Structures are given as C-alpha cells and as structure tokens.
Amino acid sequence: GVIGTQLLPSLCRFLDSTGNNCYILVLDGDSYEPKNVDRQHFSRYGNKAEVSAETLAPLFSNITIEYRPVFVSEENAFLFVEEGDVVFACVDNHATRRILSRHCESLQNVTLISGGNDYANGSVQIFLRRSGRNVTPPLTYLHPEIESPKDAHPEEMSCEELVEAGSPQLIFTNLTAAALMLNAFWMVESNQTLPYTEVYFDLTTGAQRSVKREEKTYEFDF
C-alpha cells in the first residue's frame, strides 16, 4: 500500500549502504492504478509487488529483491515469514494484522513492525520475540480492533468491495508512518534499547506520543 511505497525505497537505500548482502521479499496482491498516482511512485501499472521489485532491484547491488503477487493469509503466512525475519506490515486492514501477529507468536525469533493511519493521524506498533519469549506485546494486546477485527481480509472481498473500502489518504501521513517504522527498525537492528512499543501521531496538532506496553502475567498458587 501507500506506506509500503514510501518505506521500501528508503529501506533499500539504508540496507545497501551497509555493504551487507540483504534479501527483501515484497508481498502484495493489489495492483497500481491511475487513482494511486497522487500518493505512490511506480513506473507502470501492474501488480504492486512486481512493479516495486522490478523498479528497485537494479538500483541496489547489495540487495536481492523478490516478490510474490499475493496477500498474506492464514494459509500462506508460514511460507513468507520465517525465523529471524524482520516484517514490515504496511497493510490497511486489521484482519491481516491479526494473521501476522498470531503467526509471529509461533516463532522463536522475529521482529514485526506494523504501521497504519487514517487521514491525518496514525500509529506504529513493534512486536519483538526473542528465544521464544515476547519481549514486547503482540499487535493484538489491548487492541480489540485487531484481536477481533470487523473488517474483511482482502482475499475475502470482491473487487467492488475493495474499491469501496478505500478511504481518503494523505501522503504526508503515509510518510510519517513509514519514517516511524524505519526509525524503530534502525533502533532494533542497531541493538539500541527500544523505550516504547507503540507510537501515535497526529499531523493536525503536531503531536507524537510513544507508549510502552507490557503484557501482564499471572501466577497462581494452589
């Protein structure tokens, strides 16, 4: 989506500058259309994952970029998200966020960074698992809209419903979400202590608020 379009080029440039050989897999079942031109950069119409990978791959010699023209689902998540991966969830529905969060909870080590927004405000969540333990809470924790999503997964929607589900977007909001996601990635990958698990922002007020949530655990004596 739009956040992903803004995030991916900067991510590639950063990774390429490290000199390390990196691998990026781009997933999207949607296609670029004329209506996307005001917020997304693309070289031609067609599947978003394919066009994005095709555009960026020749520019960065240290990165292997592949794509799959599909949406993430409960049936395929295990194929695309594996141990040790860093996952950027730039999706526009809670159903997919729940799928990713639950799958990541089944892994030993994974980093999941999720961003979303309305027209002029949004948020970013960071879910870390290390050695089979939740270092930060999953996306569903204290978020009933993700735990019990009322929206439909893209694969469950008709073409007409997908069009109707689109809401007005502001590129500056998308840019802010992408920047905050990349900032969290930089801190985690450079082994800095992450003092927050979520960030909320509002462009109309200039406000940005970070919070640190910790899962509650209960012990029972019998």
Side-chain angles (χ1 to χ4, degrees):
V2 187
I3 294 177
T5 302
Q6 306 301 329
L7 181 150
L8 188 56
S10 294
L11 175 65
C12 289
R13 193 168 300 282
F14 172 76
L15 293 177
D16 191 65
S17 69
T18 66
N20 299 318
N21 293 323
C22 301
Y23 173 78
I24 292 177
L25 178 62
V26 187
L27 304 172
D28 204 314
D30 197 8
S31 295
Y32 287 119
E33 304 173 61
K35 67 178 183 179
N36 302 132
V37 72
D38 63 330
R39 291 171 290 113
Q40 302 182 48
H41 174 75
F42 49 91
S43 56
R44 64 176 176 84
Y45 299 132
N47 174 263
K48 291 181 178 179
E50 178 181 0
V51 174
S52 296
E54 174 189 90
T55 301
L56 293 170
L59 303 178
F60 303 102
S61 59
N62 293 319
I63 305 177
T64 298
I65 305 177
E66 296 185 353
Y67 71 90
R68 302 289 185 274
V70 298
F71 293 114
V72 175
S73 67
E74 291 183 354
E75 289 71 27
N76 65 25
F78 76 97
L79 294 173
F80 302 130
V81 180
E82 302 178 344
E83 290 288 351
D85 282 353
V86 176
V87 184
F88 291 94
C90 307
V91 300
D92 59 2
N93 65 93
H94 294 315
T96 303
R97 292 187 180 100
R98 181 179 65 174
I99 290 171
L100 287 169
S101 184
R102 286 184 172 179
H103 174 63
C104 287
E105 286 185 80
S106 71
L107 300 176
Q108 292 292 303
N109 296 281
V110 70
T111 297
L112 172 59
I113 303 174
S114 175
N117 62 266
D118 291 321
Y119 185 72
N121 59 76
S123 66
V124 168
Q125 289 179 266
I126 303 95
F127 176 35
L128 307 177
R129 269 181 74 80
R130 298 293 185 265
S131 301
R133 184 178 66 87
N134 287 355
V135 178
T136 65
L139 305 188
T140 54
Y141 183 68
L142 297 182
H143 283 280
E145 74 280 6
I146 301 177
E147 176 64 38
S148 303
K150 299 185 182 303
D151 53 18
H153 184 272
E155 286 189 338
E156 301 171 349
M157 302 172 69
S158 67
C159 293
E160 291 76 13
E161 289 174 323
L162 285 170
V163 172
E164 292 176 359
S167 57
Q169 295 281 307
L170 182 65
I171 189 172
F172 310 125
T173 316
N174 307 135
L175 282 166
T176 302
L180 289 172
M181 293 175 72
L182 289 168
N183 181 72
F185 166 73
W186 168 69
M187 292 189 68
V188 171
E189 290 302 300
S190 57
N191 295 315
Q192 298 189 55
T193 300
L194 192 67
Y196 58 87
T197 61
E198 299 183 39
V199 182
Y200 298 88
F201 65 92
D202 188 329
L203 297 191
T204 62
T205 63
Q208 181 174 310
R209 179 172 65 93
S210 60
V211 298
K212 184 174 184 179
R213 302 190 191 279
E214 296 182 2
E215 288 183 279
K216 292 183 179 180
T217 57
Y218 301 90
E219 294 183 4
F220 299 91
D221 293 325
F222 295 94

